[in-house]
Amino acid sequence: TEHFNIHYTEGLEVMAREAAAIFEQVHDDLAIRLGWEVDGPTEVIITDSTDSANGSAMAAVRPTVRLYATSPSLDSSLSNHDQWLRTLIVHEYTHIVHLQIHDGLSRFIDAIFGDVYLPNQVQPRWFVEGLAVLDETHETTAGRIRSAEFRMTVRTAALEGTLLTLGELSNDVRQFPRGSDDYIYGAMFLEYLRTRFGMEKIVDICHRYGSAPVPFGMNRIFKEALGVDLVTVYGDFLASVKAEAEAVRARLEAEGLTLRKELTYDGEYKGQPIFAPDGRSLLVGISTGLARSGIYRVPLDGSPRTALALAGASARLSLDLTGRLFYTRTAPTKNAYRYSEVFALDTPGREPRRVTYGARAREAAISPAGDRLAMVLNNAGTTRLMLADDRGNVLRPLFTPEPPDQVYAPSWSPDGKSVAFVVREGPRVDVALVDVATLEVRRLTRDRAIDNTPVFDPTGRYVVFSSDRTGIDNIYAYDLASDHVAQLTNVLTGATAPAVSPRGDTLAYVEYSSRGYDVSLAPFAPDTARPAPLPPADPADPAPLPLPSTAEARAYNPLPSMLPRHWMLSFSTGESSDAVVKVVTSMSDAAARHSAGLELDYGLKSSTLSTRLGYAYGGLGPGLHFGVSRSVAPRGTGYEVAGEPRDWWQETVSGRASLSVPILGTDRSQSLSIGYSVIRARPWDEPEIAYDPEGDTPVVPREYFRTGLEFGWALDTTISSPYGITSEEGREVSASVDLYHPALGGDQTLATFRYAWTEYLRTPWLDHHVFVLKLSGGVHVSDPPEQASFSAGGYAQQNVVDAIMGESSAGTASLRGYPPGRFQGDQIHSARLEYRFPIWFPEAAYNTVPAFFSSVRGGVFSDNVLITFDGLNRDDWKSSVGAEIACGFAVGYYVPMSLRVSYARGLMDGGIHEVVVLVGSGL
């Protein structure tokens, strides 16, 4: 189209044409409202490779928007929309327009190098995401600012005294709901600014920040644009949130709050609970950050919970009368995708069995008799309610909405004759019933409230569901005999995901607090509950979508979008203190099938030029990589005259081709790789050698031509926690073999084998304290023999400037407590034991100052290395012990950094007291 190139995978042309028309309409609206015309065209990629709704936008170096065809689930705040595709496009394209606004120095820099410096990209994330949510809300009749979830989050934080400070909001804190804070607080704060100052003032902030020669001056820019600084106006916003929250509390307390018993207290995420057949426990998906997410049995008497199966907290659960558990979770399909599939746990304690393969069953429910499944199948942005047997074989449709309408949350009646579900028609999200035999559909609700998770009581008389009809999610019961709706809960925060006990006397549901979601219990008494309030009056219907684009469609051509659009120039200190000028550029096509990069390094002192060129193709599934390079670098070994080492320069020309294949697992990932490389190395300048008949024989720099095959394998089963400092459970295993032989084209024979096994074990005494055991090593054999293939020792001198700029990190030395590179050999075996533990999480920041002190963590360790040329020998075993303290920071809102102070003491000959201070480009 005029301003966009829309790329789509096969089967999505209808959606692509709709998107093309919406993009052009949104482009015109945003260009006027934000006062900026995007330097396009913008590349748009639409795919259907996931069952999660999302999108992304990248303003530099080429405007690119990626959309996923899947619509959001009702458990997501994204569910509050009237036209999902338009809402998604408005949100993502707002990012493109907003982030591209720039002038002054940045415009001058970008005119030379391409769009490498866009100041708005380093605004606090709450402003970036808040602006997009603001636009998505006011350009539609729905949007997340109007959602019950956003208002619930800030209201609850106000009532419980956990509202984020400006410094906390401007950085990544661990407080729930973490990554959603930027969207929630940012949107609600910008809505406050819009109401108080007008949208034009927010636009003025975007332009002022985008034109500032130095970023991060949010406080000053707010003062210039609004007449009041950011710190003050954010304080005003928090005061207004508190006042509104207290008013809501007073009103609800006057009405009478639900008396309930809390069953869980650990917050984070809980899925929809279901009662066990005996009614003495609940089955619920749980994710707390303390253990692996999974399905747990939670006894009602407070006894410890037990794990049943691994799954996400949002897994939809159902039981048949025999107690078989059916649920949905993501799983690999065709070794390329992770779709939502149905699993079954036939007997507790056994391994679950996978029921569907490639069905993309977002939700599923097993019938009471256990012979049929009601499944919501997702494809090309549309969901359908299907009837299947208990093995997942589809029998027939139960309900097929008109695209882009959706269905959700099936639940069987106790007699197995009907299925309750949720149907979305535009902005209306309602509960309905379908008769399994006749396919007759009965609508139970029809309004603009978002109704969700319908379930039956054990008599089949009531359909119990959650609804935000009052602006706060609560639980309601629909009497199928009288059409009467009763309100079962009245909570301050939000209540969702109901379940009714087999005896019909207890209601379980999920309630929100500032720590997250927990399960509560209350009496189930719909006969005596108060009538439900009327749902909100319908606002105006959403504006009609533009007619789909009639632009010409053609086969995908990567070349127009492949051209390089930027380059970078930098200076660094290379080897031998040589000043190096580096020029880097990269390119990729819109669909990310082809990518290439070029790097040129020129040594000003040595007059040497090193080059690297790489290319990757991603259109096969497996990754295909090619690379060639030429480097000229100094060497300190391999050249001796009269027994004295001499410096020399080596030229190395190499080429490599490799193929990497991921092996997707349900709860683990593996990869295989194979490569072929060609390496030629020789002295750059012919060394001058004066032979002394009385002296040692000179050691002459060698020239070699090496070709060979490389094989690799890796396995990863690790998991981590948002509250932890390291991986906390599982293992990382890898092995590789390099084989070089004249039969493969070179003139050398050598083989190198490397291995590594890292095990992470949680301690039983304290949360997030972890033992780490790493076994690693390698063996090298060659003809002629190599001088040294492996080395071990402590930390070499760090280039602090490169580390701060993010180009390098200190990593971890192989044998701390000894001089760097102190030991060499053609085989090495290492055993490292560490005990890692958190010390303090200050999470301290001052307003919008772009510096954030996040954490202090510590560790004690023992490094043990056997490195030798002569076979295994006890004298070649070296050990050390030590300790380390690391402080985590973030600078510029987005860049993680660490400051590490490490002490180690080598215990054998050659050991030293090693104290180092290291800067790292990561937490």
Side-chain angles (χ1 to χ4, degrees):
T1 68
E2 182 179 359
H3 301 100
F4 301 89
N5 296 323
I6 314 291
H7 312 284
Y8 57 94
T9 51
E10 190 173 354
L12 297 180
E13 182 171 345
V14 171
M15 180 178 289
R17 291 192 177 279
E18 293 172 350
I22 296 171
F23 265 111
E24 285 295 344
Q25 184 184 73
V26 169
H27 168 272
D28 295 341
D29 294 343
L30 287 177
I32 295 172
R33 187 162 63 258
L34 298 183
W36 185 263
E37 180 81 22
V38 171
D39 180 18
T42 298
E43 308 290 340
V44 178
I45 302 95
I46 305 176
T47 60
D48 190 24
S49 57
T50 176
D51 287 328
S52 297
N54 212 336
S56 63
M58 182 177 66
V61 294
R62 175 182 60 225
T64 304
V65 172
R66 181 174 291 276
L67 307 178
Y68 298 104
T70 297
S71 65
S73 68
L74 290 184
D75 296 329
S76 166
S77 62
L78 296 169
S79 64
N80 197 30
H81 64 84
D82 54 12
Q83 298 163 336
W84 165 240
L85 187 57
R86 177 177 171 81
T87 299
L88 181 62
I89 288 172
V90 170
H91 183 98
E92 302 302 345
Y93 196 60
T94 295
H95 284 324
I96 299 293
V97 180
H98 166 221
L99 298 179
Q100 263 219 353
I101 295 173
H102 65 297
D103 209 344
L105 177 62
S106 61
R107 178 69 71 91
F108 174 75
I109 293 173
D110 294 343
I112 299 173
F113 296 102
D115 284 345
V116 296
Y117 177 42
L118 300 176
N120 281 341
Q121 288 196 147
V122 289
Q123 279 180 315
R125 194 163 177 258
W126 59 259
F127 191 95
V128 175
E129 296 298 347
L131 180 62
V133 176
L134 186 73
D135 264 351
E136 112 197 1
T137 300
H138 290 288
E139 285 301 298
T140 67
T141 63
R144 280 176 277 183
I145 290 177
R146 299 186 179 103
S147 72
E149 180 181 339
F150 270 37
R151 296 187 177 276
M152 173 188 72
T153 304
V154 295
R155 179 176 65 252
T156 303
L159 295 175
E160 299 183 9
T162 59
L163 284 170
L164 294 179
T165 67
L166 189 56
E168 291 170 335
L169 178 58
S170 298
N171 295 278
D172 291 329
V173 294
R174 301 181 307 149
Q175 179 179 314
F176 190 87
R178 287 185 296 279
S180 299
D181 288 336
D182 300 307
Y183 297 82
I184 298 171
Y185 282 78
M188 303 304 283
F189 180 39
L190 264 64
E191 173 67 1
Y192 172 83
L193 296 179
R194 187 193 70 85
T195 303
R196 179 174 168 181
F197 298 100
M199 186 67 190
E200 65 278 3
K201 292 296 185 179
I202 297 176
V203 174
D204 188 25
I205 292 171
C206 298
H207 283 265
R208 288 177 182 272
Y209 197 101
S211 303
V214 179
F216 310 124
M218 288 290 286
N219 211 44
R220 171 182 55 81
I221 287 173
F222 264 65
K223 179 72 172 178
E224 294 173 355
L226 306 181
V228 58
D229 60 75
L230 172 57
V231 175
T232 300
V233 75
Y234 185 75
D236 295 342
F237 161 69
L238 294 185
S240 72
V241 169
K242 293 176 184 177
E244 182 179 343
E246 291 297 339
V248 171
R249 170 153 54 190
R251 174 173 59 84
L252 294 181
E253 287 180 345
E255 296 173 356
L257 295 174
T258 298
L259 298 177
R260 84 279 196 254
K261 171 189 174 183
E262 290 184 278
L263 185 62
T264 66
Y265 303 90
D266 43 7
E268 292 289 309
Y269 294 100
K270 307 291 188 300
Q272 181 166 16
I274 59 173
F275 278 89
D278 60 9
R280 293 185 294 181
S281 62
L282 286 169
L283 276 59
V284 60
I286 296 178
S287 176
T288 64
L290 298 177
R292 299 196 75 166
S293 299
I295 302 169
Y296 289 80
R297 183 185 300 275
V298 183
L300 301 190
D301 62 6
S303 302
R305 66 185 62 158
T306 55
L308 298 177
L310 297 177
S314 61
R316 181 78 175 181
L317 314 182
S318 61
L319 287 167
D320 66 11
L321 293 176
T322 67
R324 289 191 304 167
L325 172 66
F326 286 74
Y327 61 97
T328 54
R329 59 158 302 173
T330 58
T333 298
K334 297 182 178 180
N335 199 41
Y337 309 103
R338 287 193 180 273
Y339 290 141
S340 182
E341 305 291 349
V342 180
F343 283 73
L345 182 63
D346 298 316
T347 303
R350 292 187 178 180
E351 282 293 312
R353 62 181 173 88
R354 184 170 176 176
V355 176
T356 63
Y357 292 82
R360 304 185 66 178
R362 294 180 67 175
E363 296 168 302
I366 189 68
S367 64
D371 58 343
R372 293 172 296 174
L373 280 165
M375 302 192 303
V376 174
L377 304 187
N378 175 48
N379 183 54
T382 299
T383 51
R384 299 166 295 154
L385 182 61
M386 308 296 288
L387 185 68
D389 62 24
D390 63 345
R391 293 172 296 175
N393 300 310
V394 173
L395 302 176
R396 55 185 171 87
L398 287 176
F399 183 82
T400 303
E402 291 293 327
D405 297 339
Q406 308 289 330
V407 292
Y408 313 90
S411 179
W412 286 86
S413 61
D415 60 10
K417 294 181 178 180
S418 61
V419 173
F421 65 101
V422 176
V423 59
R424 173 188 284 277
E425 294 179 338
R428 291 171 175 79
V429 183
D430 300 312
V431 176
L433 292 181
V434 60
D435 186 291
V436 175
T438 67
L439 302 185
E440 180 181 352
V441 175
R442 176 183 175 185
R443 298 299 180 95
L444 304 187
T445 61
R446 191 184 292 272
D447 51 62
R448 282 296 291 268
I450 295 182
D451 303 328
N452 195 10
T453 55
V455 296
F456 287 88
D457 80 317
T459 68
R461 175 182 173 184
Y462 294 100
V463 173
V464 185
F465 62 98
S466 66
S467 176
D468 67 350
R469 60 174 57 197
T470 65
I472 296 175
D473 281 307
N474 272 294
I475 308 301
Y476 299 85
Y478 187 101
D479 189 333
L480 293 174
S482 65
D483 294 331
H484 173 75
V485 183
Q487 182 174 344
L488 303 182
T489 65
N490 192 39
V491 299
L492 276 172
T493 57
T496 58
V500 183
S501 65
R503 293 177 56 184
D505 59 351
T506 303
L507 171 70
Y509 61 91
V510 173
E511 188 170 353
Y512 182 78
S513 71
S514 61
R515 64 179 179 261
Y517 295 90
D518 278 299
V519 179
S520 293
L521 303 175
F524 179 69
D527 291 337
T528 59
R530 64 182 178 181
L534 294 175
D538 280 1
D541 286 332
L545 294 174
L547 294 175
S549 172
T550 58
E552 179 188 358
R554 60 178 70 93
Y556 178 69
N557 180 5
L559 294 179
S561 59
M562 187 73 180
L563 298 176
R565 297 174 61 94
H566 79 291
W567 63 287
M568 296 290 292
L569 180 67
S570 64
F571 299 87
S572 64
T573 302
E575 298 176 87
S576 297
S577 300
D578 192 9
V580 177
V581 179
K582 179 181 293 186
V583 177
V584 178
T585 188
S586 62
M587 64 200 81
S588 65
D589 66 316
R593 290 192 173 187
H594 308 266
S595 59
L598 174 65
E599 179 182 322
L600 303 175
D601 296 349
Y602 184 75
L604 298 179
K605 179 180 177 181
S606 60
S607 299
T608 58
L609 177 65
S610 298
T611 62
R612 296 177 183 87
L613 175 63
Y615 167 79
Y617 178 65
L620 294 175
L624 185 61
H625 303 265
F626 299 94
V628 294
S629 67
R630 173 188 181 270
S631 64
V632 179
R635 294 288 182 262
T637 59
Y639 179 21
E640 295 180 5
V641 176
E644 295 293 327
R646 298 281 185 92
D647 291 334
W648 61 289
W649 288 75
Q650 184 181 58
E651 177 191 50
T652 304
V653 179
S654 65
R656 187 172 186 270
S658 65
L659 184 69
S660 59
V661 182
I663 303 174
L664 302 182
T666 305
D667 295 299
R668 64 180 61 193
S669 60
Q670 298 183 71
S671 64
L672 293 173
S673 62
I674 182 172
Y676 178 78
S677 62
V678 178
I679 306 171
R680 177 168 184 171
R682 60 184 179 183
W684 183 44
D685 288 327
E686 193 68 30
E688 297 181 2
I689 302 175
Y691 290 91
D692 182 358
E694 304 295 328
D696 295 333
T697 303
V699 177
V700 182
R702 293 192 299 113
E703 177 178 340
Y704 63 83
F705 180 61
R706 179 184 300 167
T707 61
L709 293 172
E710 304 156 2
F711 303 91
W713 168 77
L715 166 71
D716 189 346
T717 67
T718 58
I719 63 169
S720 57
S721 163
Y723 300 101
I725 61 169
T726 183
S727 296
E728 296 189 349
E729 185 180 327
R731 62 191 56 88
E732 298 168 334
V733 185
S734 63
S736 65
V737 178
D738 299 343
L739 301 172
Y740 294 86
H741 193 273
L744 298 173
D747 58 12
Q748 280 196 327
T749 299
L750 60 89
T752 304
F753 170 70
R754 294 180 176 87
Y755 65 92
W757 183 308
T758 306
E759 194 79 19
Y760 298 89
L761 301 171
R762 285 192 174 109
T763 65
W765 47 83
L766 287 172
D767 292 334
H768 313 301
H769 286 229
V770 180
F771 282 113
V772 183
L773 174 62
K774 182 175 183 179
L775 304 175
S776 61
V779 177
H780 177 91
V781 294
S782 63
D783 182 21
E786 293 280 332
Q787 283 193 332
S789 299
F790 304 104
S791 64
Y795 289 101
Q797 184 176 359
Q798 184 186 27
N799 188 321
V800 177
V801 175
D802 283 352
I804 294 176
M805 296 301 292
E807 294 184 3
S808 67
S809 178
T812 301
S814 58
L815 183 59
R816 291 164 283 189
Y818 295 87
R822 172 68 175 79
F823 307 104
Q824 289 81 39
D826 56 13
Q827 66 172 304
I828 184 172
H829 305 281
S830 170
R832 170 175 293 158
L833 178 63
E834 296 185 61
Y835 176 44
R836 301 176 184 174
F837 50 90
I839 299 175
W840 184 33
F841 291 96
E843 298 192 326
Y846 181 70
N847 294 327
T848 57
V849 174
F852 179 61
F853 182 17
S854 60
S855 64
V856 180
R857 55 199 187 278
V860 294
F861 57 82
S862 173
D863 291 345
N864 304 274
V865 173
L866 174 62
I867 184 168
T868 179
F869 283 109
D870 305 318
L872 303 182
N873 189 313
R874 289 183 57 187
D875 294 336
D876 295 317
W877 184 263
K878 307 296 179 184
S879 295
S880 67
V881 294
E884 183 174 85
I885 291 180
C887 299
F889 300 89
V891 295
Y893 308 131
Y894 293 94
V895 182
M897 300 291 294
S898 65
L899 178 67
R900 297 156 53 193
V901 180
S902 178
Y903 166 78
R905 171 60 173 142
L907 302 179
M908 277 72 167
D909 291 342
I912 61 174
H913 294 277
E914 181 186 33
V915 179
V916 293
V917 178
L918 304 163
V919 177
S921 57
L923 296 179

